[in-house]
Amino acid sequence: DVLYGSLSQKELLMTTEAHLSALESKHHRLEAEIDGELHRPSPDQSRLSTLKRENLRIKEEIARLRS
C-alpha cells in the first residue's frame, strides 16, 4: 500500500483510530446541526438534505473502518 507502506502495524492502527475518532466527532457535529435545523421555525429542506447525506456518508465510512 503506497499510502501506509512505511507505517508499522501499531502506527497504522493508531492512524485508523485517529481517523475514526475524527469521523465520529464530525458525525456528532452533523447530528447537532441537523437537530438545530429541524427545530428552526422554517427548516431549510435543502440544507437538511445535504447534512443528512453527509452524515450518512460518514456513518458508512465509520462502519467500513470498524469492519
Side-chain angles (χ1 to χ4, degrees):
D1 189 339
V2 174
L3 184 59
Y4 298 114
S6 64
L7 296 178
S8 71
Q9 191 117 13
K10 183 178 179 182
E11 290 169 324
L12 181 57
L13 180 59
M14 291 170 57
T15 300
T16 301
E17 287 174 353
H19 183 59
L20 187 55
S21 179
L23 287 171
E24 288 171 338
S25 293
K26 188 168 185 179
H27 169 68
H28 291 300
R29 183 183 55 77
L30 284 167
E31 288 285 324
E33 284 188 57
I34 290 167
D35 188 59
E37 190 65 40
L38 286 171
H39 287 90
R40 288 178 36 163
S42 185
D44 181 336
Q45 294 302 318
S46 176
R47 178 165 164 69
L48 274 173
S49 179
T50 300
L51 291 170
K52 287 180 178 183
R53 259 193 317 276
E54 178 68 6
N55 202 29
L56 179 59
R57 186 190 68 74
I58 289 171
K59 283 171 56 175
E60 289 172 344
E61 178 71 6
I62 289 169
R64 185 184 68 76
L65 288 172
R66 286 186 175 155
S67 62

Short mmCIF file of all heavy atoms in Angstrom, two decimals:
data_model
loop_
_atom_site.label_atom_id
_atom_site.label_comp_id
_atom_site.label_asym_id
_atom_site.label_seq_id
_atom_site.Cartn_x
_atom_site.Cartn_y
_atom_site.Cartn_z
N ASP A 1 0.86 -1.18 0.00
CA ASP A 1 0.00 0.00 0.00
C ASP A 1 0.90 1.24 0.00
O ASP A 1 1.73 1.42 0.88
CB ASP A 1 -0.89 -0.03 1.24
CG ASP A 1 -1.96 1.04 1.23
OD1 ASP A 1 -1.80 2.04 0.50
OD2 ASP A 1 -2.94 0.89 1.95
N VAL A 2 0.73 2.09 -0.96
CA VAL A 2 1.58 3.26 -1.11
C VAL A 2 1.40 4.23 0.05
O VAL A 2 2.35 4.75 0.60
CB VAL A 2 1.30 3.98 -2.46
CG1 VAL A 2 2.06 5.28 -2.54
CG2 VAL A 2 1.62 3.07 -3.62
N LEU A 3 0.16 4.46 0.45
CA LEU A 3 -0.13 5.44 1.49
C LEU A 3 0.42 5.01 2.85
O LEU A 3 0.97 5.81 3.58
CB LEU A 3 -1.64 5.69 1.58
CG LEU A 3 -2.11 6.75 2.55
CD1 LEU A 3 -1.49 8.10 2.22
CD2 LEU A 3 -3.62 6.84 2.54
N TYR A 4 0.25 3.75 3.18
CA TYR A 4 0.63 3.27 4.51
C TYR A 4 1.83 2.35 4.50
O TYR A 4 2.16 1.74 5.50
CB TYR A 4 -0.56 2.55 5.15
CG TYR A 4 -1.76 3.43 5.37
CD1 TYR A 4 -2.94 3.21 4.68
CD2 TYR A 4 -1.70 4.49 6.25
CE1 TYR A 4 -4.05 4.02 4.87
CE2 TYR A 4 -2.80 5.31 6.45
CZ TYR A 4 -3.96 5.06 5.76
OH TYR A 4 -5.05 5.87 5.96
N GLY A 5 2.53 2.24 3.38
CA GLY A 5 3.62 1.29 3.22
C GLY A 5 4.72 1.39 4.26
O GLY A 5 5.30 0.38 4.63
N SER A 6 5.03 2.56 4.74
CA SER A 6 6.14 2.71 5.68
C SER A 6 5.70 2.70 7.14
O SER A 6 6.53 2.85 8.03
CB SER A 6 6.89 4.02 5.38
OG SER A 6 6.04 5.12 5.61
N LEU A 7 4.41 2.51 7.41
CA LEU A 7 3.93 2.52 8.78
C LEU A 7 3.94 1.11 9.37
O LEU A 7 3.64 0.14 8.68
CB LEU A 7 2.50 3.06 8.85
CG LEU A 7 2.29 4.52 8.45
CD1 LEU A 7 0.82 4.88 8.54
CD2 LEU A 7 3.10 5.44 9.33
N SER A 8 4.25 1.02 10.65
CA SER A 8 4.17 -0.27 11.34
C SER A 8 2.69 -0.58 11.58
O SER A 8 1.82 0.30 11.45
CB SER A 8 4.91 -0.21 12.67
OG SER A 8 4.19 0.60 13.59
N GLN A 9 2.42 -1.81 11.96
CA GLN A 9 1.04 -2.22 12.26
C GLN A 9 0.46 -1.34 13.38
O GLN A 9 -0.68 -0.91 13.30
CB GLN A 9 1.03 -3.68 12.69
CG GLN A 9 -0.35 -4.26 12.77
CD GLN A 9 -0.54 -5.38 11.78
OE1 GLN A 9 0.42 -5.86 11.21
NE2 GLN A 9 -1.75 -5.77 11.56
N LYS A 10 1.26 -1.06 14.40
CA LYS A 10 0.80 -0.23 15.52
C LYS A 10 0.51 1.20 15.05
O LYS A 10 -0.50 1.79 15.42
CB LYS A 10 1.85 -0.21 16.63
CG LYS A 10 1.42 0.56 17.86
CD LYS A 10 2.46 0.50 18.95
CE LYS A 10 2.02 1.29 20.16
NZ LYS A 10 3.03 1.29 21.20
N GLU A 11 1.39 1.75 14.22
CA GLU A 11 1.17 3.11 13.70
C GLU A 11 -0.07 3.16 12.82
O GLU A 11 -0.83 4.13 12.87
CB GLU A 11 2.39 3.57 12.90
CG GLU A 11 3.61 3.84 13.75
CD GLU A 11 4.86 4.04 12.92
OE1 GLU A 11 5.03 3.37 11.89
OE2 GLU A 11 5.67 4.89 13.32
N LEU A 12 -0.28 2.13 12.03
CA LEU A 12 -1.46 2.08 11.16
C LEU A 12 -2.72 2.02 12.00
O LEU A 12 -3.70 2.72 11.71
CB LEU A 12 -1.38 0.87 10.22
CG LEU A 12 -2.54 0.71 9.24
CD1 LEU A 12 -2.69 1.96 8.38
CD2 LEU A 12 -2.31 -0.51 8.37
N LEU A 13 -2.71 1.21 13.06
CA LEU A 13 -3.86 1.12 13.96
C LEU A 13 -4.14 2.47 14.62
O LEU A 13 -5.28 2.91 14.69
CB LEU A 13 -3.64 0.04 15.02
CG LEU A 13 -4.77 -0.16 16.03
CD1 LEU A 13 -6.07 -0.54 15.33
CD2 LEU A 13 -4.38 -1.22 17.04
N MET A 14 -3.09 3.14 15.07
CA MET A 14 -3.25 4.45 15.70
C MET A 14 -3.80 5.47 14.70
O MET A 14 -4.66 6.28 15.03
CB MET A 14 -1.92 4.92 16.29
CG MET A 14 -1.50 4.10 17.50
SD MET A 14 0.19 4.42 18.08
CE MET A 14 0.14 6.16 18.38
N THR A 15 -3.31 5.40 13.46
CA THR A 15 -3.78 6.31 12.42
C THR A 15 -5.26 6.06 12.13
O THR A 15 -6.05 6.99 12.02
CB THR A 15 -2.95 6.14 11.13
OG1 THR A 15 -1.59 6.44 11.44
CG2 THR A 15 -3.42 7.04 10.03
N THR A 16 -5.64 4.79 12.03
CA THR A 16 -7.02 4.42 11.78
C THR A 16 -7.91 4.87 12.94
O THR A 16 -9.00 5.41 12.73
CB THR A 16 -7.15 2.90 11.56
OG1 THR A 16 -6.33 2.54 10.45
CG2 THR A 16 -8.58 2.50 11.27
N GLU A 17 -7.44 4.67 14.17
CA GLU A 17 -8.22 5.08 15.34
C GLU A 17 -8.39 6.60 15.37
O GLU A 17 -9.46 7.10 15.72
CB GLU A 17 -7.56 4.58 16.62
CG GLU A 17 -7.72 3.09 16.81
CD GLU A 17 -6.95 2.55 18.00
OE1 GLU A 17 -6.18 3.31 18.62
OE2 GLU A 17 -7.13 1.36 18.30
N ALA A 18 -7.36 7.34 15.01
CA ALA A 18 -7.45 8.80 14.98
C ALA A 18 -8.45 9.24 13.91
O ALA A 18 -9.26 10.15 14.13
CB ALA A 18 -6.09 9.42 14.71
N HIS A 19 -8.42 8.58 12.76
CA HIS A 19 -9.36 8.90 11.68
C HIS A 19 -10.78 8.58 12.11
O HIS A 19 -11.70 9.37 11.89
CB HIS A 19 -8.98 8.12 10.42
CG HIS A 19 -9.82 8.43 9.23
ND1 HIS A 19 -9.95 9.70 8.70
CD2 HIS A 19 -10.60 7.63 8.47
CE1 HIS A 19 -10.76 9.66 7.67
NE2 HIS A 19 -11.17 8.42 7.51
N LEU A 20 -10.96 7.45 12.75
CA LEU A 20 -12.27 7.04 13.25
C LEU A 20 -12.79 8.05 14.28
O LEU A 20 -13.95 8.46 14.23
CB LEU A 20 -12.17 5.65 13.86
CG LEU A 20 -13.46 4.96 14.30
CD1 LEU A 20 -14.46 4.88 13.16
CD2 LEU A 20 -13.14 3.57 14.82
N SER A 21 -11.92 8.49 15.16
CA SER A 21 -12.30 9.48 16.16
C SER A 21 -12.73 10.80 15.50
O SER A 21 -13.73 11.41 15.90
CB SER A 21 -11.14 9.72 17.12
OG SER A 21 -11.48 10.69 18.07
N ALA A 22 -11.99 11.21 14.50
CA ALA A 22 -12.34 12.45 13.78
C ALA A 22 -13.68 12.30 13.07
O ALA A 22 -14.51 13.23 13.08
CB ALA A 22 -11.25 12.80 12.78
N LEU A 23 -13.93 11.14 12.47
CA LEU A 23 -15.21 10.90 11.80
C LEU A 23 -16.36 10.90 12.80
O LEU A 23 -17.43 11.46 12.53
CB LEU A 23 -15.18 9.57 11.04
CG LEU A 23 -14.37 9.53 9.76
CD1 LEU A 23 -14.26 8.10 9.25
CD2 LEU A 23 -14.97 10.44 8.71
N GLU A 24 -16.14 10.29 13.97
CA GLU A 24 -17.19 10.26 14.98
C GLU A 24 -17.50 11.68 15.48
O GLU A 24 -18.66 12.01 15.69
CB GLU A 24 -16.79 9.34 16.13
CG GLU A 24 -16.85 7.89 15.73
CD GLU A 24 -16.26 6.94 16.76
OE1 GLU A 24 -15.44 7.38 17.61
OE2 GLU A 24 -16.60 5.74 16.70
N SER A 25 -16.48 12.50 15.63
CA SER A 25 -16.69 13.89 16.04
C SER A 25 -17.51 14.64 14.99
O SER A 25 -18.44 15.38 15.32
CB SER A 25 -15.36 14.61 16.26
OG SER A 25 -14.69 14.07 17.35
N LYS A 26 -17.15 14.44 13.74
CA LYS A 26 -17.88 15.10 12.66
C LYS A 26 -19.31 14.60 12.61
O LYS A 26 -20.24 15.38 12.39
CB LYS A 26 -17.18 14.86 11.32
CG LYS A 26 -17.76 15.68 10.20
CD LYS A 26 -16.89 15.65 8.97
CE LYS A 26 -17.47 16.58 7.91
NZ LYS A 26 -16.66 16.62 6.71
N HIS A 27 -19.51 13.30 12.83
CA HIS A 27 -20.87 12.73 12.85
C HIS A 27 -21.71 13.39 13.94
O HIS A 27 -22.86 13.79 13.69
CB HIS A 27 -20.78 11.21 13.07
CG HIS A 27 -22.08 10.56 13.37
ND1 HIS A 27 -23.10 10.45 12.45
CD2 HIS A 27 -22.53 9.98 14.49
CE1 HIS A 27 -24.13 9.85 13.01
NE2 HIS A 27 -23.80 9.55 14.25
N HIS A 28 -21.13 13.55 15.14
CA HIS A 28 -21.88 14.18 16.24
C HIS A 28 -22.18 15.65 15.93
O HIS A 28 -23.27 16.14 16.24
CB HIS A 28 -21.10 14.05 17.55
CG HIS A 28 -21.05 12.64 18.05
ND1 HIS A 28 -22.16 11.90 18.36
CD2 HIS A 28 -19.99 11.82 18.27
CE1 HIS A 28 -21.81 10.70 18.76
NE2 HIS A 28 -20.49 10.62 18.71
N ARG A 29 -21.23 16.33 15.31
CA ARG A 29 -21.45 17.73 14.94
C ARG A 29 -22.59 17.83 13.91
O ARG A 29 -23.47 18.69 14.02
CB ARG A 29 -20.18 18.34 14.37
CG ARG A 29 -20.33 19.82 14.02
CD ARG A 29 -19.08 20.41 13.38
NE ARG A 29 -18.61 19.71 12.19
CZ ARG A 29 -19.17 19.82 10.98
NH1 ARG A 29 -20.21 20.57 10.79
NH2 ARG A 29 -18.66 19.16 9.96
N LEU A 30 -22.59 16.93 12.93
CA LEU A 30 -23.65 16.94 11.93
C LEU A 30 -25.01 16.62 12.55
O LEU A 30 -26.02 17.21 12.18
CB LEU A 30 -23.34 15.95 10.80
CG LEU A 30 -22.29 16.42 9.81
CD1 LEU A 30 -21.83 15.26 8.94
CD2 LEU A 30 -22.81 17.56 8.95
N GLU A 31 -25.03 15.67 13.49
CA GLU A 31 -26.29 15.35 14.18
C GLU A 31 -26.84 16.60 14.88
O GLU A 31 -28.04 16.87 14.83
CB GLU A 31 -26.06 14.23 15.21
CG GLU A 31 -25.84 12.87 14.62
CD GLU A 31 -27.11 12.23 14.10
OE1 GLU A 31 -28.18 12.42 14.71
OE2 GLU A 31 -27.03 11.54 13.07
N ALA A 32 -25.96 17.35 15.51
CA ALA A 32 -26.38 18.58 16.20
C ALA A 32 -26.88 19.62 15.19
O ALA A 32 -27.88 20.31 15.45
CB ALA A 32 -25.23 19.15 17.03
N GLU A 33 -26.19 19.75 14.06
CA GLU A 33 -26.64 20.69 13.02
C GLU A 33 -28.00 20.29 12.46
O GLU A 33 -28.86 21.14 12.24
CB GLU A 33 -25.62 20.76 11.88
CG GLU A 33 -24.38 21.55 12.22
CD GLU A 33 -23.51 21.76 10.99
OE1 GLU A 33 -24.00 22.33 9.99
OE2 GLU A 33 -22.33 21.36 11.05
N ILE A 34 -28.19 19.00 12.24
CA ILE A 34 -29.48 18.51 11.74
C ILE A 34 -30.58 18.81 12.75
O ILE A 34 -31.64 19.32 12.41
CB ILE A 34 -29.41 16.99 11.42
CG1 ILE A 34 -28.52 16.75 10.20
CG2 ILE A 34 -30.81 16.41 11.22
CD1 ILE A 34 -28.13 15.30 9.97
N ASP A 35 -30.30 18.52 14.02
CA ASP A 35 -31.28 18.78 15.08
C ASP A 35 -31.61 20.27 15.16
O ASP A 35 -32.78 20.65 15.27
CB ASP A 35 -30.74 18.28 16.43
CG ASP A 35 -31.77 18.36 17.52
OD1 ASP A 35 -32.84 17.73 17.37
OD2 ASP A 35 -31.52 19.05 18.52
N GLY A 36 -30.58 21.11 15.07
CA GLY A 36 -30.81 22.55 15.10
C GLY A 36 -31.66 23.02 13.94
O GLY A 36 -32.56 23.85 14.10
N GLU A 37 -31.37 22.49 12.76
CA GLU A 37 -32.14 22.87 11.57
C GLU A 37 -33.59 22.41 11.70
O GLU A 37 -34.51 23.14 11.34
CB GLU A 37 -31.49 22.28 10.31
CG GLU A 37 -32.05 22.82 9.02
CD GLU A 37 -31.80 24.30 8.80
OE1 GLU A 37 -30.70 24.79 9.11
OE2 GLU A 37 -32.74 24.98 8.30
N LEU A 38 -33.79 21.21 12.22
CA LEU A 38 -35.15 20.68 12.38
C LEU A 38 -35.98 21.50 13.36
O LEU A 38 -37.21 21.55 13.25
CB LEU A 38 -35.10 19.23 12.86
CG LEU A 38 -34.71 18.20 11.82
CD1 LEU A 38 -34.47 16.84 12.46
CD2 LEU A 38 -35.78 18.09 10.73
N HIS A 39 -35.32 22.15 14.32
CA HIS A 39 -36.04 22.92 15.33
C HIS A 39 -36.19 24.40 14.99
O HIS A 39 -36.69 25.18 15.81
CB HIS A 39 -35.38 22.74 16.70
CG HIS A 39 -35.63 21.38 17.27
ND1 HIS A 39 -34.79 20.32 17.02
CD2 HIS A 39 -36.65 20.90 18.01
CE1 HIS A 39 -35.29 19.25 17.61
NE2 HIS A 39 -36.42 19.57 18.22
N ARG A 40 -35.76 24.78 13.81
CA ARG A 40 -35.99 26.16 13.36
C ARG A 40 -37.46 26.30 12.98
O ARG A 40 -38.11 25.32 12.61
CB ARG A 40 -35.14 26.46 12.13
CG ARG A 40 -33.67 26.62 12.43
CD ARG A 40 -32.86 26.87 11.20
NE ARG A 40 -33.60 27.69 10.24
CZ ARG A 40 -33.06 28.33 9.23
NH1 ARG A 40 -31.78 28.25 9.03
NH2 ARG A 40 -33.78 29.04 8.40
N PRO A 41 -38.00 27.51 13.05
CA PRO A 41 -39.40 27.72 12.67
C PRO A 41 -39.70 27.26 11.23
O PRO A 41 -40.77 26.70 10.97
CB PRO A 41 -39.60 29.23 12.80
CG PRO A 41 -38.54 29.66 13.75
CD PRO A 41 -37.38 28.73 13.55
N SER A 42 -38.76 27.46 10.34
CA SER A 42 -38.95 27.04 8.95
C SER A 42 -37.66 26.38 8.46
O SER A 42 -36.80 27.02 7.85
CB SER A 42 -39.29 28.27 8.10
OG SER A 42 -39.58 27.88 6.78
N PRO A 43 -37.52 25.07 8.73
CA PRO A 43 -36.28 24.37 8.36
C PRO A 43 -36.00 24.44 6.86
O PRO A 43 -36.91 24.36 6.04
CB PRO A 43 -36.53 22.93 8.79
CG PRO A 43 -37.66 22.98 9.76
CD PRO A 43 -38.48 24.17 9.37
N ASP A 44 -34.74 24.60 6.53
CA ASP A 44 -34.29 24.62 5.14
C ASP A 44 -34.14 23.17 4.68
O ASP A 44 -33.19 22.49 5.05
CB ASP A 44 -32.96 25.38 5.05
CG ASP A 44 -32.42 25.48 3.64
OD1 ASP A 44 -32.78 24.64 2.78
OD2 ASP A 44 -31.62 26.40 3.40
N GLN A 45 -35.07 22.71 3.85
CA GLN A 45 -35.08 21.32 3.43
C GLN A 45 -33.85 20.96 2.59
O GLN A 45 -33.34 19.83 2.67
CB GLN A 45 -36.37 21.00 2.65
CG GLN A 45 -37.62 21.09 3.51
CD GLN A 45 -37.58 20.16 4.71
OE1 GLN A 45 -37.15 19.01 4.61
NE2 GLN A 45 -38.00 20.66 5.86
N SER A 46 -33.37 21.89 1.81
CA SER A 46 -32.18 21.64 1.01
C SER A 46 -30.97 21.44 1.91
O SER A 46 -30.17 20.52 1.71
CB SER A 46 -31.94 22.81 0.05
OG SER A 46 -30.75 22.62 -0.66
N ARG A 47 -30.83 22.30 2.91
CA ARG A 47 -29.72 22.16 3.87
C ARG A 47 -29.84 20.85 4.64
O ARG A 47 -28.84 20.14 4.84
CB ARG A 47 -29.71 23.35 4.82
CG ARG A 47 -28.63 23.28 5.88
CD ARG A 47 -28.41 24.62 6.56
NE ARG A 47 -27.68 24.54 7.80
CZ ARG A 47 -26.39 24.21 7.91
NH1 ARG A 47 -25.69 23.94 6.85
NH2 ARG A 47 -25.81 24.17 9.11
N LEU A 48 -31.07 20.51 5.07
CA LEU A 48 -31.27 19.25 5.79
C LEU A 48 -30.86 18.06 4.93
O LEU A 48 -30.19 17.14 5.40
CB LEU A 48 -32.74 19.09 6.18
CG LEU A 48 -33.17 19.72 7.48
CD1 LEU A 48 -34.68 19.63 7.65
CD2 LEU A 48 -32.47 19.05 8.65
N SER A 49 -31.24 18.09 3.68
CA SER A 49 -30.89 17.01 2.76
C SER A 49 -29.38 16.87 2.63
O SER A 49 -28.83 15.76 2.69
CB SER A 49 -31.53 17.27 1.40
OG SER A 49 -31.21 16.26 0.49
N THR A 50 -28.70 18.00 2.48
CA THR A 50 -27.24 17.99 2.36
C THR A 50 -26.59 17.46 3.64
O THR A 50 -25.69 16.61 3.58
CB THR A 50 -26.71 19.40 2.05
OG1 THR A 50 -27.29 19.83 0.81
CG2 THR A 50 -25.20 19.45 1.97
N LEU A 51 -27.05 17.94 4.78
CA LEU A 51 -26.49 17.48 6.06
C LEU A 51 -26.73 15.99 6.27
O LEU A 51 -25.83 15.27 6.71
CB LEU A 51 -27.11 18.27 7.22
CG LEU A 51 -26.73 19.74 7.34
CD1 LEU A 51 -27.61 20.44 8.37
CD2 LEU A 51 -25.25 19.89 7.69
N LYS A 52 -27.92 15.52 5.94
CA LYS A 52 -28.24 14.11 6.13
C LYS A 52 -27.43 13.22 5.20
O LYS A 52 -26.98 12.14 5.60
CB LYS A 52 -29.74 13.87 5.93
CG LYS A 52 -30.57 14.40 7.08
CD LYS A 52 -32.04 14.15 6.84
CE LYS A 52 -32.88 14.63 8.01
NZ LYS A 52 -34.31 14.33 7.80
N ARG A 53 -27.23 13.66 3.96
CA ARG A 53 -26.39 12.89 3.03
C ARG A 53 -24.96 12.77 3.53
O ARG A 53 -24.35 11.70 3.49
CB ARG A 53 -26.40 13.54 1.63
CG ARG A 53 -27.32 12.88 0.65
CD ARG A 53 -27.08 13.33 -0.78
NE ARG A 53 -26.89 14.76 -0.96
CZ ARG A 53 -27.85 15.65 -1.08
NH1 ARG A 53 -29.11 15.27 -1.05
NH2 ARG A 53 -27.56 16.92 -1.24
N GLU A 54 -24.42 13.89 4.00
CA GLU A 54 -23.06 13.90 4.53
C GLU A 54 -22.96 13.02 5.77
O GLU A 54 -22.00 12.26 5.95
CB GLU A 54 -22.61 15.33 4.85
CG GLU A 54 -21.23 15.45 5.44
CD GLU A 54 -20.10 15.08 4.49
OE1 GLU A 54 -20.36 14.83 3.30
OE2 GLU A 54 -18.95 15.04 4.95
N ASN A 55 -23.97 13.09 6.64
CA ASN A 55 -23.99 12.28 7.85
C ASN A 55 -24.02 10.79 7.50
O ASN A 55 -23.30 9.99 8.11
CB ASN A 55 -25.20 12.66 8.70
CG ASN A 55 -25.02 12.28 10.14
OD1 ASN A 55 -23.93 12.23 10.65
ND2 ASN A 55 -26.12 12.03 10.81
N LEU A 56 -24.81 10.43 6.51
CA LEU A 56 -24.89 9.03 6.07
C LEU A 56 -23.54 8.58 5.51
O LEU A 56 -23.07 7.47 5.80
CB LEU A 56 -25.99 8.85 5.04
CG LEU A 56 -26.15 7.44 4.48
CD1 LEU A 56 -26.44 6.44 5.58
CD2 LEU A 56 -27.24 7.41 3.42
N ARG A 57 -22.90 9.42 4.72
CA ARG A 57 -21.60 9.09 4.15
C ARG A 57 -20.58 8.81 5.26
O ARG A 57 -19.82 7.84 5.22
CB ARG A 57 -21.10 10.22 3.25
CG ARG A 57 -19.80 9.89 2.50
CD ARG A 57 -19.22 11.10 1.83
NE ARG A 57 -18.71 12.10 2.76
CZ ARG A 57 -17.58 12.00 3.46
NH1 ARG A 57 -16.85 10.93 3.38
NH2 ARG A 57 -17.20 12.97 4.27
N ILE A 58 -20.62 9.65 6.29
CA ILE A 58 -19.69 9.48 7.42
C ILE A 58 -20.02 8.22 8.20
O ILE A 58 -19.12 7.46 8.58
CB ILE A 58 -19.70 10.74 8.31
CG1 ILE A 58 -19.02 11.88 7.55
CG2 ILE A 58 -19.01 10.47 9.64
CD1 ILE A 58 -19.13 13.21 8.21
N LYS A 59 -21.30 7.95 8.44
CA LYS A 59 -21.69 6.73 9.15
C LYS A 59 -21.24 5.49 8.39
O LYS A 59 -20.77 4.52 8.99
CB LYS A 59 -23.20 6.71 9.36
CG LYS A 59 -23.67 7.62 10.47
CD LYS A 59 -25.15 7.79 10.56
CE LYS A 59 -25.93 6.54 10.71
NZ LYS A 59 -27.38 6.78 10.91
N GLU A 60 -21.35 5.52 7.07
CA GLU A 60 -20.90 4.39 6.26
C GLU A 60 -19.39 4.22 6.34
O GLU A 60 -18.89 3.10 6.41
CB GLU A 60 -21.35 4.57 4.80
CG GLU A 60 -22.84 4.38 4.63
CD GLU A 60 -23.34 4.74 3.25
OE1 GLU A 60 -22.61 5.42 2.47
OE2 GLU A 60 -24.48 4.37 2.94
N GLU A 61 -18.66 5.32 6.35
CA GLU A 61 -17.20 5.25 6.47
C GLU A 61 -16.80 4.70 7.84
O GLU A 61 -15.88 3.90 7.95
CB GLU A 61 -16.60 6.64 6.24
CG GLU A 61 -15.10 6.71 6.39
CD GLU A 61 -14.33 6.04 5.27
OE1 GLU A 61 -14.93 5.59 4.28
OE2 GLU A 61 -13.09 5.95 5.38
N ILE A 62 -17.50 5.13 8.90
CA ILE A 62 -17.23 4.62 10.24
C ILE A 62 -17.47 3.10 10.27
O ILE A 62 -16.64 2.35 10.79
CB ILE A 62 -18.11 5.34 11.30
CG1 ILE A 62 -17.64 6.78 11.48
CG2 ILE A 62 -18.10 4.58 12.63
CD1 ILE A 62 -18.59 7.66 12.30
N ALA A 63 -18.58 2.67 9.70
CA ALA A 63 -18.90 1.23 9.67
C ALA A 63 -17.84 0.46 8.88
O ALA A 63 -17.42 -0.63 9.29
CB ALA A 63 -20.28 1.01 9.04
N ARG A 64 -17.37 1.02 7.78
CA ARG A 64 -16.35 0.36 6.96
C ARG A 64 -15.04 0.21 7.76
O ARG A 64 -14.41 -0.84 7.73
CB ARG A 64 -16.09 1.17 5.69
CG ARG A 64 -15.13 0.48 4.72
CD ARG A 64 -14.82 1.34 3.53
NE ARG A 64 -14.03 2.52 3.86
CZ ARG A 64 -12.71 2.52 4.13
NH1 ARG A 64 -12.06 1.38 4.13
NH2 ARG A 64 -12.08 3.63 4.42
N LEU A 65 -14.67 1.26 8.49
CA LEU A 65 -13.43 1.21 9.27
C LEU A 65 -13.52 0.23 10.44
O LEU A 65 -12.52 -0.36 10.85
CB LEU A 65 -13.07 2.60 9.79
CG LEU A 65 -12.56 3.58 8.75
CD1 LEU A 65 -12.43 4.97 9.34
CD2 LEU A 65 -11.23 3.13 8.16
N ARG A 66 -14.70 0.07 10.97
CA ARG A 66 -14.89 -0.84 12.11
C ARG A 66 -14.97 -2.30 11.70
O ARG A 66 -14.83 -3.18 12.53
CB ARG A 66 -16.14 -0.46 12.90
CG ARG A 66 -15.94 0.79 13.71
CD ARG A 66 -17.12 1.06 14.58
NE ARG A 66 -16.87 2.19 15.45
CZ ARG A 66 -17.80 2.95 15.96
NH1 ARG A 66 -19.07 2.71 15.71
NH2 ARG A 66 -17.49 3.97 16.73
N SER A 67 -15.22 -2.55 10.42
CA SER A 67 -15.38 -3.95 9.98
C SER A 67 -14.07 -4.61 9.64
O SER A 67 -13.04 -4.04 9.60
CB SER A 67 -16.30 -4.03 8.77
OG SER A 67 -15.76 -3.33 7.67
#
